[in-house]
Amino acid sequence: MAPTPIRRPALLRRATAALVLVLAATALVPASALAATGSAGEVFTLTNAQRTKAGLRPLVSDPALDAAAAEWARHLASTCTFEHSTSQWRSSRVAAYGWVATGENIAAGQPDAGSVVTAWMNSAGHKANILDSRYTGLGVGVASGSCYRTYWVQIFGIGSPVKKLSGGAGDLTGDRNADLVARTSSGGLMIYPGNGRGGFASPVAAAPYWGARPFITMGDFTGDGTPDLARVETNGTLMLYPGTGAGGLRNPVQIGNGWSGFAQVIGGIDYTGDRVPDVIARTTTGTLKLYKGNGKGGWLSGSGGQIGSGWNAFDSISHAGDFTGDSRGDIIARKVSDGTLWLYPTTGKGTWGKAVKIGGGWKPFTAIFGGGDLNGDGTQDLVGRSADGTLYLYPGNGRGGFLARQTIGGGWNTMSQIG
């Protein structure tokens, strides 16, 4: 039987003054949240059960902490090593998401979630991390390797997590992985559930029949924790299709009139900095107009104001999520004249930052769109479709650029729209 090591925990060490600062932020953190699924989710639930038993507040699950814990677990499994990540490494991955200090538990060889949490609770140092009242968030990672079979990582955080709006369709199926939506040439609407590693599970039908009208990815426009879609009808009404969180759509609700005059509608982006999805609409003459969401499926007053002109120079405009790592939403657009790709960051104050050219040679692609975090590394990605239907993933590096391109599918030229 393989040994089951438990590494001495990485404990939080901060000066007293710093602790006063971060403890003050604790009250801002919600009392509960959904954790990752599978064994990681079980560890999260069991950990909070121990805290509740001790009279402590439950920890909040956070995608950034989860992504960092999963990355370190994969590192341990792939290298057959058993050591803690450094506080600098963890900070580089979670600080932008509002986590100001971290701690870590690791273990290897335990067969299931119950066994590893029991082992941690039987170790004084690891138990101290689990029951540390200063911690407010928790990420859990699990990976399989040849040396100890299963590797477990907990990354604890102190802070108030920043709500960052994802690019693309978001998690429409409720498994915490980014998904893709595709409209078929016959009018069907399909969801391709992401597996968190750049691949997809079998598609599911999102609606019995969608038709020829383009879909709009809206982010969580209703504020219920589930991403939504929308469609402009031939009569100009804007219809919102709330997501069910299980791969389906609810009955549509009308949220606007007179939208037929727009050449493109881009949803899901927080342009104003209030952490609520807004909608940007481009007219046929290239004017951009802002429609400010209220986070409840409707609009704030003052919507419809102009925020740009000359955008008919671009033939592809997409919300890419936080592509630069500054916790604010960004737009990526392809210029018609030369196929260059441009990043338009937002400032969080209802204005644009400085536009930056981030690539060339994008003219051959028949589709370019923000895909959210499709490979599960905690950063936002871009997807491009070539003329032959090959789908390419361009992983974001979290600093406004790309990592090496990956092929993630073929035969996608049968789709009328992907997003």
Side-chain angles (χ1 to χ4, degrees):
M1 181 176 179
T4 56
I6 302 181
R7 189 78 170 187
R8 185 175 176 224
L11 297 170
L12 176 75
R13 293 182 177 90
R14 281 291 176 105
T16 303
L19 283 176
V20 172
L21 173 64
V22 296
L23 284 171
T26 302
L28 301 175
V29 179
S32 64
L34 292 175
T37 56
S39 297
E42 293 176 25
V43 169
F44 179 87
T45 300
L46 292 171
T47 299
N48 268 340
Q50 293 293 336
R51 289 177 65 88
T52 300
K53 182 178 178 181
L56 297 172
R57 230 174 150 174
L59 299 170
V60 171
S61 176
D62 179 73
L65 293 175
D66 276 339
E71 182 181 353
W72 193 249
R74 290 193 297 266
H75 166 76
L76 296 179
S78 63
T79 59
C80 248
T81 55
F82 192 67
E83 59 186 5
H84 280 290
S85 64
T86 65
S87 59
Q88 292 82 4
W89 183 91
R90 296 191 296 272
S91 179
S92 69
R93 284 152 175 79
V94 304
Y97 293 80
W99 301 105
V100 298
T102 59
E104 183 179 82
N105 284 344
I106 62 174
Q110 291 77 14
D112 52 47
S115 299
V116 71
V117 173
T118 297
W120 278 327
M121 290 300 294
N122 288 333
S123 168
H126 298 84
K127 180 179 179 180
N129 263 349
I130 289 174
L131 301 183
D132 192 326
S133 62
R134 297 171 297 176
Y135 289 129
T136 55
L138 172 63
V140 182
V142 185
S144 299
S146 59
C147 290
Y148 290 109
R149 290 192 177 179
T150 308
Y151 293 76
W152 308 85
V153 176
Q154 289 180 312
I155 293 183
F156 301 87
I158 288 180
S160 181
V162 176
K163 183 180 179 182
K164 303 176 76 171
L165 306 186
S166 173
D171 174 21
L172 289 161
T173 55
D175 61 1
R176 302 199 67 195
N177 294 321
D179 305 321
L180 291 188
V181 179
R183 180 167 53 89
T184 69
S185 57
S186 59
L189 192 70
M190 307 298 294
I191 294 175
Y192 286 78
N195 62 11
R197 300 183 300 277
F200 306 99
S202 298
V204 296
Y209 179 73
W210 185 263
R213 307 299 295 177
F215 61 81
I216 304 162
T217 54
M218 297 287 284
D220 180 15
F221 193 73
T222 60
D224 64 355
T226 301
D228 310 308
L229 300 180
R231 181 173 71 186
V232 177
E233 304 296 345
T234 54
N235 63 0
T237 58
L238 181 62
M239 304 298 293
L240 179 71
Y241 289 76
T244 64
L249 300 173
R250 303 188 191 281
N251 292 331
V253 179
Q254 183 176 333
I255 57 173
N257 291 300
W259 287 71
S260 57
F262 293 116
Q264 186 180 0
V265 179
I266 304 105
I269 185 171
D270 172 27
Y271 187 79
T272 61
D274 61 359
R275 304 296 173 183
V276 171
D278 303 313
V279 172
I280 294 175
R282 179 180 59 155
T283 68
T284 54
T285 59
T287 298
L288 288 191
K289 293 189 175 183
L290 174 67
Y291 292 83
K292 296 178 284 189
N294 64 8
K296 302 174 183 178
W299 311 103
L300 295 176
S301 60
S303 289
Q306 181 173 333
I307 58 171
S309 60
W311 283 75
N312 49 357
F314 301 101
D315 64 352
S316 175
I317 305 172
S318 175
H319 172 222
D322 175 20
F323 202 72
T324 60
D326 62 359
S327 82
R328 295 186 287 268
D330 306 306
I331 289 288
I332 290 180
R334 178 179 61 182
K335 189 169 288 188
V336 178
S337 60
D338 58 7
T340 54
L341 211 59
W342 290 80
L343 174 71
Y344 283 80
T346 63
T347 64
K349 301 176 182 179
T351 56
W352 296 105
K354 183 180 179 181
V356 180
K357 185 171 75 171
I358 59 173
W362 288 77
K363 186 174 287 189
F365 286 97
T366 57
I368 302 170
F369 57 92
D373 180 17
L374 284 170
N375 63 2
D377 66 355
T379 62
Q380 299 289 294
D381 307 320
L382 195 70
V383 179
R385 179 183 63 181
S386 64
D388 66 357
T390 302
L391 209 61
Y392 295 102
L393 178 69
Y394 289 81
N397 63 10
R399 299 182 299 277
F402 304 103
L403 302 176
R405 184 178 82 172
Q406 303 170 23
T407 301
I408 57 172
W412 288 78
N413 48 356
T414 61
M415 299 298 176
S416 299
Q417 183 188 2
I418 315 172

